[in-house]
Amino acid sequence: MKGQRINWKNEYNQLRKKYSIVLRGYNEQKERIELLEKENKSLSNSLEHLLGIEEEE
């Protein structure tokens, strides 16, 4: 019985580590996506501004 409990704890700890790694990777990708979206919006605004200036000239 004790051996089963130890095995269960080991499996549980391994799953926690894997979950932690996956969650960390997910959060890093989410942050990258948010930064890229902000950069994309900024570039779009800059392009619209430049196009607006060209149209006026």
Side-chain angles (χ1 to χ4, degrees), residues 8-43:
W8 179 86
K9 283 184 179 181
N10 287 339
E11 288 183 29
Y12 172 76
N13 286 331
Q14 288 175 354
L15 286 174
R16 279 185 50 198
K17 287 177 186 176
K18 287 180 184 177
Y19 173 76
S20 175
I21 291 168
V22 169
L23 186 60
R24 188 178 319 124
Y26 169 80
N27 286 333
E28 288 172 358
Q29 291 300 322
K30 187 176 174 185
E31 288 175 12
R32 287 185 191 137
I33 289 170
E34 289 171 353
L35 288 173
L36 288 171
E37 286 174 342
K38 287 179 185 177
E39 184 177 346
N40 185 34
K41 186 173 184 177
S42 175
L43 290 172

Side-chain angles (χ1 to χ4, degrees), residues 1-9:
M1 188 74 170
K2 188 175 182 181
Q4 288 177 333
R5 191 170 78 211
I6 292 171
N7 189 33
W8 179 86
K9 283 184 179 181

